[in-house]
Amino acid sequence: MQIRYCSPWWGHEHVPMKDFLRTIAAAGYDGIDTWIPPHAEDQKALRDADITLVLHQHEASDPADYRRRLETCASWRPLLINSHTGRDWFTLEQQLALIDIAQEVADKTGTPIVHETHRGRMGYSPQTAAILFDQRPNLRITADFSHWTCVTESLLDNFGDTLAVACRRARHIHARVGFEQGPQVRDPADPAFDYAVRKFLGWWDAIVEHNLFIGTPVLTMTTEFGPPPYMPCNDDQFRQNRYMLELLKTRYGQEISKSATDISHT
């Protein structure tokens, strides 16, 4: 299984896409995780780039618009689409209808669509995600468990069964480390947050190992530490994401065989 590491464009929208793509290539990234840029020059730079592309849908206003936006993303032929799906106040029936729309688009276009476990969205907590998992066995997710640690004010010790299911459903990872009081630790290199980093690495190990087991050809990981004010300090976002990139590459490498011993559990 190949592992491809993506950089978020989030926090760097002021940088022309062609320049940002050169920056992340030099930093060792394989691709980018972003929404479709609004400007034609940035769109052209992204279309012309020979990189792994994860496209992001987060603006849909209603079910019809949701379908249109997913179809537009699929027309770019990304490796997968990461969807901010629904709202936390939608009814179960409304959430399930959106999941079904996404599945229809994925089947029609051949582009996998994964639903991010994000605050304010349908998968905002392990409690709600568990209901959706039960209702839709084919539901696949982007695992961003930093939102769950924030929502539950915990490191999810009381949600082991749901976490196990979530790790089996994950096909994309947003590798940001949260903690009991927020979705992003001050600095993943700070020893004060080593306990949280280790917890998240354990969850990501489980995702990697399951995708190895089922024969997933490519697993994507995005180092998604965000900018201020999401970042709870005045620090360099790109530095933090570079730190995470090196941490993940050291742990998982670029390609993993089916021998579990190939994953370094340090």
Side-chain angles (χ1 to χ4, degrees):
M1 180 176 72
Q2 293 182 10
I3 297 183
R4 297 182 187 172
Y5 302 95
C6 296
S7 168
W9 194 36
W10 175 38
H12 304 279
E13 303 93 323
H14 59 287
V15 180
M17 180 63 73
K18 66 179 189 304
D19 296 335
F20 188 66
L21 291 174
R22 284 196 293 265
T23 297
I24 63 175
Y29 284 100
D30 303 304
I32 191 168
D33 185 335
T34 183
W35 55 92
I36 296 173
H39 301 300
E41 287 187 7
D42 289 334
Q43 290 183 15
K44 184 178 186 305
L46 190 58
R47 284 190 183 276
D48 291 346
D50 183 20
I51 59 170
T52 297
L53 176 61
V54 173
L55 272 184
H56 189 99
Q57 186 295 124
H58 66 285
E59 295 179 308
S61 59
D62 57 55
D65 187 41
Y66 182 63
R67 184 186 295 274
R68 284 193 297 270
R69 289 182 183 276
L70 291 178
E71 289 175 343
T72 299
C73 286
S75 72
W76 282 63
R77 307 194 70 79
L79 184 63
L80 58 83
I81 298 169
N82 175 62
S83 177
H84 276 205
T85 305
R87 295 289 181 180
D88 54 4
W89 47 267
F90 281 13
T91 67
L92 176 60
E93 289 72 21
Q94 289 173 314
Q95 309 283 25
L96 295 176
L98 293 175
I99 294 171
D100 292 341
I101 287 172
Q103 189 61 55
E104 290 169 9
V105 174
D107 291 342
K108 175 184 175 182
T109 64
T111 303
I113 299 173
V114 290
H115 305 270
E116 186 174 347
T117 57
H118 199 289
R119 286 171 298 152
R121 303 294 181 170
M122 71 176 190
Y124 72 94
S125 74
Q127 299 95 316
T128 56
I131 297 170
L132 297 171
F133 291 154
D134 286 342
Q135 293 289 319
R136 292 295 184 269
N138 291 328
L139 175 63
R140 298 295 179 263
I141 67 169
T142 292
D144 191 339
F145 298 140
S146 69
H147 294 285
W148 286 3
T149 60
C150 179
V151 167
T152 65
E153 293 190 312
S154 74
L155 289 182
L156 307 179
D157 292 334
N158 294 321
F159 302 99
D161 290 344
T162 300
L163 265 174
V165 176
C167 289
R168 293 194 295 270
R169 300 292 188 95
R171 297 295 178 272
H172 180 46
I173 295 172
H174 275 179
R176 184 176 59 249
V177 177
F179 68 120
E180 298 91 332
Q181 298 301 324
Q184 182 168 308
V185 298
R186 179 175 62 248
D187 183 348
D190 187 336
F193 292 104
D194 182 65
Y195 75 99
V197 172
R198 288 182 176 273
K199 181 70 82 168
F200 274 77
L201 285 170
W203 297 330
W204 300 336
D205 285 349
I207 293 170
V208 170
E209 290 175 356
H210 180 73
N211 279 275
L212 269 173
F213 176 74
I214 64 174
T216 299
V218 178
L219 180 66
T220 46
M221 299 184 183
T222 298
T223 58
E224 216 211 9
F225 276 73
Y230 208 90
M231 180 186 295
C233 62
N234 185 20
D235 201 352
D236 183 338
Q237 176 194 7
F238 200 73
R239 179 196 68 78
Q240 291 196 4
N241 280 321
R242 279 289 306 276
Y243 174 85
M244 289 302 300
L245 176 64
E246 295 308 314
L247 179 66
L248 296 172
K249 279 189 169 184
T250 298
R251 193 174 187 86
Y252 304 118
Q254 296 284 157
E255 188 169 347
I256 306 177
S257 74
K258 283 200 172 184
S259 169
T261 58
D262 288 344
I263 298 178
S264 173
H265 296 287
T266 56

mmCIF file of all heavy atoms in Angstrom, residues 174-208:
data_model
loop_
_atom_site.group_PDB
_atom_site.id
_atom_site.type_symbol
_atom_site.label_atom_id
_atom_site.label_comp_id
_atom_site.label_asym_id
_atom_site.label_seq_id
_atom_site.Cartn_x
_atom_site.Cartn_y
_atom_site.Cartn_z
ATOM 1 N N HIS A 174 -6.981 13.225 8.329
ATOM 2 C CA HIS A 174 -6.524 14.574 8.606
ATOM 3 C C HIS A 174 -5.688 14.501 9.874
ATOM 4 O O HIS A 174 -6.219 14.369 10.977
ATOM 5 C CB HIS A 174 -7.707 15.535 8.766
ATOM 6 C CG HIS A 174 -8.200 16.067 7.463
ATOM 7 N ND1 HIS A 174 -9.269 16.933 7.353
ATOM 8 C CD2 HIS A 174 -7.750 15.870 6.187
ATOM 9 C CE1 HIS A 174 -9.457 17.233 6.080
ATOM 10 N NE2 HIS A 174 -8.562 16.602 5.354
ATOM 11 N N ALA A 175 -4.392 14.557 9.680
ATOM 12 C CA ALA A 175 -3.443 14.300 10.765
ATOM 13 C C ALA A 175 -3.190 15.569 11.570
ATOM 14 O O ALA A 175 -2.098 16.150 11.548
ATOM 15 C CB ALA A 175 -2.146 13.728 10.215
ATOM 16 N N ARG A 176 -4.229 15.972 12.269
ATOM 17 C CA ARG A 176 -4.114 17.062 13.238
ATOM 18 C C ARG A 176 -4.381 16.466 14.618
ATOM 19 O O ARG A 176 -5.243 15.604 14.769
ATOM 20 C CB ARG A 176 -5.115 18.180 12.949
ATOM 21 C CG ARG A 176 -4.935 19.369 13.898
ATOM 22 C CD ARG A 176 -5.852 20.545 13.585
ATOM 23 N NE ARG A 176 -7.258 20.168 13.641
ATOM 24 C CZ ARG A 176 -8.049 20.112 12.567
ATOM 25 N NH1 ARG A 176 -7.582 20.377 11.366
ATOM 26 N NH2 ARG A 176 -9.309 19.774 12.690
ATOM 27 N N VAL A 177 -3.662 16.931 15.595
ATOM 28 C CA VAL A 177 -3.792 16.413 16.957
ATOM 29 C C VAL A 177 -4.611 17.391 17.787
ATOM 30 O O VAL A 177 -4.236 18.561 17.945
ATOM 31 C CB VAL A 177 -2.406 16.195 17.599
ATOM 32 C CG1 VAL A 177 -2.559 15.732 19.049
ATOM 33 C CG2 VAL A 177 -1.607 15.177 16.794
ATOM 34 N N GLY A 178 -5.725 16.919 18.297
ATOM 35 C CA GLY A 178 -6.523 17.706 19.223
ATOM 36 C C GLY A 178 -6.278 17.265 20.653
ATOM 37 O O GLY A 178 -5.458 16.378 20.924
ATOM 38 N N PHE A 179 -7.000 17.863 21.564
ATOM 39 C CA PHE A 179 -6.880 17.479 22.967
ATOM 40 C C PHE A 179 -8.211 17.768 23.648
ATOM 41 O O PHE A 179 -9.199 18.101 22.976
ATOM 42 C CB PHE A 179 -5.695 18.175 23.640
ATOM 43 C CG PHE A 179 -5.835 19.668 23.806
ATOM 44 C CD1 PHE A 179 -5.812 20.244 25.071
ATOM 45 C CD2 PHE A 179 -5.966 20.514 22.707
ATOM 46 C CE1 PHE A 179 -5.918 21.624 25.236
ATOM 47 C CE2 PHE A 179 -6.070 21.893 22.866
ATOM 48 C CZ PHE A 179 -6.061 22.447 24.136
ATOM 49 N N GLU A 180 -8.252 17.630 24.943
ATOM 50 C CA GLU A 180 -9.530 17.694 25.646
ATOM 51 C C GLU A 180 -10.216 19.055 25.548
ATOM 52 O O GLU A 180 -11.428 19.143 25.696
ATOM 53 C CB GLU A 180 -9.332 17.333 27.127
ATOM 54 C CG GLU A 180 -8.810 15.932 27.372
ATOM 55 C CD GLU A 180 -7.299 15.861 27.439
ATOM 56 O OE1 GLU A 180 -6.622 16.708 26.802
ATOM 57 O OE2 GLU A 180 -6.781 14.968 28.128
ATOM 58 N N GLN A 181 -9.482 20.102 25.291
ATOM 59 C CA GLN A 181 -10.058 21.442 25.278
ATOM 60 C C GLN A 181 -9.966 22.136 23.924
ATOM 61 O O GLN A 181 -10.179 23.352 23.846
ATOM 62 C CB GLN A 181 -9.399 22.302 26.361
ATOM 63 C CG GLN A 181 -9.598 21.786 27.772
ATOM 64 C CD GLN A 181 -11.077 21.677 28.147
ATOM 65 O OE1 GLN A 181 -11.893 22.506 27.742
ATOM 66 N NE2 GLN A 181 -11.428 20.644 28.899
ATOM 67 N N GLY A 182 -9.676 21.402 22.891
ATOM 68 C CA GLY A 182 -9.609 22.047 21.586
ATOM 69 C C GLY A 182 -9.265 21.087 20.474
ATOM 70 O O GLY A 182 -8.771 19.984 20.714
ATOM 71 N N PRO A 183 -9.492 21.510 19.212
ATOM 72 C CA PRO A 183 -9.220 20.650 18.062
ATOM 73 C C PRO A 183 -7.780 20.717 17.571
ATOM 74 O O PRO A 183 -7.440 20.059 16.588
ATOM 75 C CB PRO A 183 -10.174 21.209 17.004
ATOM 76 C CG PRO A 183 -10.208 22.678 17.306
ATOM 77 C CD PRO A 183 -10.157 22.767 18.809
ATOM 78 N N GLN A 184 -6.932 21.496 18.238
ATOM 79 C CA GLN A 184 -5.553 21.609 17.790
ATOM 80 C C GLN A 184 -4.660 21.956 18.968
ATOM 81 O O GLN A 184 -4.855 22.996 19.607
ATOM 82 C CB GLN A 184 -5.436 22.681 16.696
ATOM 83 C CG GLN A 184 -4.048 22.858 16.128
ATOM 84 C CD GLN A 184 -4.046 23.714 14.873
ATOM 85 O OE1 GLN A 184 -4.784 23.462 13.936
ATOM 86 N NE2 GLN A 184 -3.212 24.743 14.850
ATOM 87 N N VAL A 185 -3.701 21.087 19.267
ATOM 88 C CA VAL A 185 -2.760 21.390 20.340
ATOM 89 C C VAL A 185 -1.898 22.586 19.931
ATOM 90 O O VAL A 185 -1.762 22.919 18.746
ATOM 91 C CB VAL A 185 -1.867 20.178 20.673
ATOM 92 C CG1 VAL A 185 -2.699 19.010 21.166
ATOM 93 C CG2 VAL A 185 -1.008 19.776 19.468
ATOM 94 N N ARG A 186 -1.331 23.217 20.912
ATOM 95 C CA ARG A 186 -0.542 24.426 20.661
ATOM 96 C C ARG A 186 0.608 24.143 19.693
ATOM 97 O O ARG A 186 0.875 24.926 18.785
ATOM 98 C CB ARG A 186 0.007 24.963 21.985
ATOM 99 C CG ARG A 186 0.870 26.208 21.864
ATOM 100 C CD ARG A 186 1.261 26.742 23.221
ATOM 101 N NE ARG A 186 2.058 25.798 23.981
ATOM 102 C CZ ARG A 186 1.637 25.169 25.105
ATOM 103 N NH1 ARG A 186 0.435 25.404 25.574
ATOM 104 N NH2 ARG A 186 2.422 24.317 25.736
ATOM 105 N N ASP A 187 1.272 23.014 19.884
ATOM 106 C CA ASP A 187 2.415 22.651 19.047
ATOM 107 C C ASP A 187 2.617 21.142 19.205
ATOM 108 O O ASP A 187 2.846 20.667 20.322
ATOM 109 C CB ASP A 187 3.659 23.412 19.503
ATOM 110 C CG ASP A 187 4.887 23.139 18.639
ATOM 111 O OD1 ASP A 187 4.851 22.192 17.826
ATOM 112 O OD2 ASP A 187 5.891 23.870 18.771
ATOM 113 N N PRO A 188 2.543 20.360 18.131
ATOM 114 C CA PRO A 188 2.703 18.909 18.269
ATOM 115 C C PRO A 188 4.099 18.497 18.724
ATOM 116 O O PRO A 188 4.290 17.368 19.191
ATOM 117 C CB PRO A 188 2.405 18.386 16.864
ATOM 118 C CG PRO A 188 2.712 19.532 15.959
ATOM 119 C CD PRO A 188 2.323 20.763 16.728
ATOM 120 N N ALA A 189 5.066 19.416 18.605
ATOM 121 C CA ALA A 189 6.422 19.111 19.069
ATOM 122 C C ALA A 189 6.625 19.413 20.544
ATOM 123 O O ALA A 189 7.658 19.060 21.120
ATOM 124 C CB ALA A 189 7.437 19.900 18.240
ATOM 125 N N ASP A 190 5.653 20.060 21.176
ATOM 126 C CA ASP A 190 5.751 20.425 22.587
ATOM 127 C C ASP A 190 5.588 19.166 23.442
ATOM 128 O O ASP A 190 4.562 18.476 23.362
ATOM 129 C CB ASP A 190 4.649 21.433 22.918
ATOM 130 C CG ASP A 190 4.766 21.997 24.325
ATOM 131 O OD1 ASP A 190 5.373 21.346 25.198
ATOM 132 O OD2 ASP A 190 4.215 23.091 24.566
ATOM 133 N N PRO A 191 6.557 18.829 24.298
ATOM 134 C CA PRO A 191 6.440 17.635 25.133
ATOM 135 C C PRO A 191 5.196 17.626 26.012
ATOM 136 O O PRO A 191 4.726 16.555 26.405
ATOM 137 C CB PRO A 191 7.715 17.666 25.982
ATOM 138 C CG PRO A 191 8.687 18.461 25.181
ATOM 139 C CD PRO A 191 7.861 19.497 24.474
ATOM 140 N N ALA A 192 4.637 18.780 26.301
ATOM 141 C CA ALA A 192 3.430 18.829 27.122
ATOM 142 C C ALA A 192 2.257 18.132 26.455
ATOM 143 O O ALA A 192 1.313 17.703 27.142
ATOM 144 C CB ALA A 192 3.061 20.288 27.420
ATOM 145 N N PHE A 193 2.302 18.000 25.123
ATOM 146 C CA PHE A 193 1.207 17.356 24.398
ATOM 147 C C PHE A 193 1.597 15.993 23.841
ATOM 148 O O PHE A 193 0.887 15.443 22.997
ATOM 149 C CB PHE A 193 0.719 18.267 23.271
ATOM 150 C CG PHE A 193 0.047 19.513 23.778
ATOM 151 C CD1 PHE A 193 0.717 20.722 23.749
ATOM 152 C CD2 PHE A 193 -1.233 19.465 24.311
ATOM 153 C CE1 PHE A 193 0.111 21.872 24.232
ATOM 154 C CE2 PHE A 193 -1.841 20.610 24.792
ATOM 155 C CZ PHE A 193 -1.170 21.818 24.756
ATOM 156 N N ASP A 194 2.694 15.446 24.337
ATOM 157 C CA ASP A 194 3.129 14.128 23.867
ATOM 158 C C ASP A 194 2.061 13.066 24.117
ATOM 159 O O ASP A 194 1.867 12.157 23.301
ATOM 160 C CB ASP A 194 4.438 13.732 24.555
ATOM 161 C CG ASP A 194 4.967 12.399 24.064
ATOM 162 O OD1 ASP A 194 5.321 12.310 22.877
ATOM 163 O OD2 ASP A 194 4.999 11.436 24.864
ATOM 164 N N TYR A 195 1.323 13.193 25.223
ATOM 165 C CA TYR A 195 0.292 12.209 25.543
ATOM 166 C C TYR A 195 -0.787 12.176 24.472
ATOM 167 O O TYR A 195 -1.314 11.111 24.120
ATOM 168 C CB TYR A 195 -0.333 12.518 26.914
ATOM 169 C CG TYR A 195 -1.282 13.701 26.924
ATOM 170 C CD1 TYR A 195 -2.662 13.512 26.853
ATOM 171 C CD2 TYR A 195 -0.794 15.010 26.973
ATOM 172 C CE1 TYR A 195 -3.533 14.600 26.844
ATOM 173 C CE2 TYR A 195 -1.657 16.087 26.972
ATOM 174 C CZ TYR A 195 -3.030 15.884 26.907
ATOM 175 O OH TYR A 195 -3.883 16.948 26.885
ATOM 176 N N ALA A 196 -1.139 13.348 23.930
ATOM 177 C CA ALA A 196 -2.169 13.426 22.889
ATOM 178 C C ALA A 196 -1.621 12.932 21.552
ATOM 179 O O ALA A 196 -2.317 12.207 20.823
ATOM 180 C CB ALA A 196 -2.682 14.853 22.759
ATOM 181 N N VAL A 197 -0.398 13.305 21.221
ATOM 182 C CA VAL A 197 0.207 12.846 19.965
ATOM 183 C C VAL A 197 0.253 11.330 19.927
ATOM 184 O O VAL A 197 -0.099 10.699 18.918
ATOM 185 C CB VAL A 197 1.616 13.442 19.793
ATOM 186 C CG1 VAL A 197 2.319 12.823 18.590
ATOM 187 C CG2 VAL A 197 1.539 14.962 19.628
ATOM 188 N N ARG A 198 0.656 10.711 21.029
ATOM 189 C CA ARG A 198 0.733 9.247 21.069
ATOM 190 C C ARG A 198 -0.648 8.606 20.919
ATOM 191 O O ARG A 198 -0.794 7.566 20.279
ATOM 192 C CB ARG A 198 1.403 8.792 22.361
ATOM 193 C CG ARG A 198 2.892 9.068 22.402
ATOM 194 C CD ARG A 198 3.548 8.573 23.676
ATOM 195 N NE ARG A 198 4.984 8.778 23.636
ATOM 196 C CZ ARG A 198 5.849 7.914 23.113
ATOM 197 N NH1 ARG A 198 5.405 6.785 22.579
ATOM 198 N NH2 ARG A 198 7.143 8.173 23.107
ATOM 199 N N LYS A 199 -1.645 9.205 21.503
ATOM 200 C CA LYS A 199 -3.000 8.673 21.381
ATOM 201 C C LYS A 199 -3.451 8.704 19.923
ATOM 202 O O LYS A 199 -3.994 7.723 19.398
ATOM 203 C CB LYS A 199 -3.954 9.472 22.257
ATOM 204 C CG LYS A 199 -5.387 8.995 22.221
ATOM 205 C CD LYS A 199 -5.566 7.649 22.903
ATOM 206 C CE LYS A 199 -5.673 7.812 24.403
ATOM 207 N NZ LYS A 199 -6.126 6.546 25.059
ATOM 208 N N PHE A 200 -3.219 9.831 19.260
ATOM 209 C CA PHE A 200 -3.623 9.950 17.859
ATOM 210 C C PHE A 200 -2.826 9.003 16.970
ATOM 211 O O PHE A 200 -3.382 8.405 16.037
ATOM 212 C CB PHE A 200 -3.471 11.398 17.380
ATOM 213 C CG PHE A 200 -4.666 12.255 17.685
ATOM 214 C CD1 PHE A 200 -4.889 12.731 18.972
ATOM 215 C CD2 PHE A 200 -5.577 12.586 16.698
ATOM 216 C CE1 PHE A 200 -5.996 13.526 19.267
ATOM 217 C CE2 PHE A 200 -6.686 13.370 16.982
ATOM 218 C CZ PHE A 200 -6.904 13.835 18.267
ATOM 219 N N LEU A 201 -1.544 8.849 17.235
ATOM 220 C CA LEU A 201 -0.740 7.912 16.445
ATOM 221 C C LEU A 201 -1.291 6.490 16.555
ATOM 222 O O LEU A 201 -1.307 5.745 15.573
ATOM 223 C CB LEU A 201 0.715 7.957 16.896
ATOM 224 C CG LEU A 201 1.521 9.187 16.459
ATOM 225 C CD1 LEU A 201 2.868 9.212 17.172
ATOM 226 C CD2 LEU A 201 1.711 9.218 14.943
ATOM 227 N N GLY A 202 -1.764 6.133 17.717
ATOM 228 C CA GLY A 202 -2.366 4.810 17.878
ATOM 229 C C GLY A 202 -3.601 4.631 17.011
ATOM 230 O O GLY A 202 -3.812 3.577 16.395
ATOM 231 N N TRP A 203 -4.437 5.676 16.933
ATOM 232 C CA TRP A 203 -5.627 5.595 16.068
ATOM 233 C C TRP A 203 -5.221 5.527 14.605
ATOM 234 O O TRP A 203 -5.795 4.753 13.830
ATOM 235 C CB TRP A 203 -6.529 6.803 16.317
ATOM 236 C CG TRP A 203 -7.073 6.877 17.713
ATOM 237 C CD1 TRP A 203 -7.349 5.825 18.540
ATOM 238 C CD2 TRP A 203 -7.404 8.064 18.449
ATOM 239 N NE1 TRP A 203 -7.830 6.271 19.743
ATOM 240 C CE2 TRP A 203 -7.881 7.644 19.722
ATOM 241 C CE3 TRP A 203 -7.343 9.426 18.175
ATOM 242 C CZ2 TRP A 203 -8.296 8.538 20.695
ATOM 243 C CZ3 TRP A 203 -7.751 10.334 19.136
ATOM 244 C CH2 TRP A 203 -8.224 9.886 20.388
ATOM 245 N N TRP A 204 -4.221 6.317 14.210
ATOM 246 C CA TRP A 204 -3.779 6.288 12.810
ATOM 247 C C TRP A 204 -3.131 4.949 12.477
ATOM 248 O O TRP A 204 -3.292 4.446 11.354
ATOM 249 C CB TRP A 204 -2.823 7.450 12.550
ATOM 250 C CG TRP A 204 -3.453 8.791 12.798
ATOM 251 C CD1 TRP A 204 -4.800 9.090 12.772
ATOM 252 C CD2 TRP A 204 -2.793 10.016 13.134
ATOM 253 N NE1 TRP A 204 -5.000 10.418 13.061
ATOM 254 C CE2 TRP A 204 -3.798 11.019 13.290
ATOM 255 C CE3 TRP A 204 -1.463 10.373 13.315
ATOM 256 C CZ2 TRP A 204 -3.492 12.336 13.615
ATOM 257 C CZ3 TRP A 204 -1.152 11.689 13.644
ATOM 258 C CH2 TRP A 204 -2.158 12.657 13.788
ATOM 259 N N ASP A 205 -2.414 4.353 13.425
ATOM 260 C CA ASP A 205 -1.884 3.007 13.207
ATOM 261 C C ASP A 205 -3.002 2.026 12.854
ATOM 262 O O ASP A 205 -2.872 1.209 11.940
ATOM 263 C CB ASP A 205 -1.181 2.490 14.467
ATOM 264 C CG ASP A 205 0.176 3.119 14.715
ATOM 265 O OD1 ASP A 205 0.702 3.804 13.815
ATOM 266 O OD2 ASP A 205 0.706 2.932 15.828
ATOM 267 N N ALA A 206 -4.110 2.106 13.595
ATOM 268 C CA ALA A 206 -5.228 1.190 13.355
ATOM 269 C C ALA A 206 -5.814 1.394 11.962
ATOM 270 O O ALA A 206 -6.189 0.423 11.285
ATOM 271 C CB ALA A 206 -6.297 1.389 14.423
ATOM 272 N N ILE A 207 -5.886 2.639 11.509
ATOM 273 C CA ILE A 207 -6.393 2.921 10.169
ATOM 274 C C ILE A 207 -5.451 2.363 9.111
ATOM 275 O O ILE A 207 -5.880 1.718 8.142
ATOM 276 C CB ILE A 207 -6.580 4.438 9.985
ATOM 277 C CG1 ILE A 207 -7.700 4.950 10.906
ATOM 278 C CG2 ILE A 207 -6.892 4.773 8.523
ATOM 279 C CD1 ILE A 207 -7.798 6.468 10.967
ATOM 280 N N VAL A 208 -4.167 2.590 9.282
ATOM 281 C CA VAL A 208 -3.177 2.076 8.336
ATOM 282 C C VAL A 208 -3.252 0.555 8.268
ATOM 283 O O VAL A 208 -3.284 -0.040 7.184
ATOM 284 C CB VAL A 208 -1.762 2.548 8.726
ATOM 285 C CG1 VAL A 208 -0.707 1.818 7.906
ATOM 286 C CG2 VAL A 208 -1.626 4.055 8.536
#
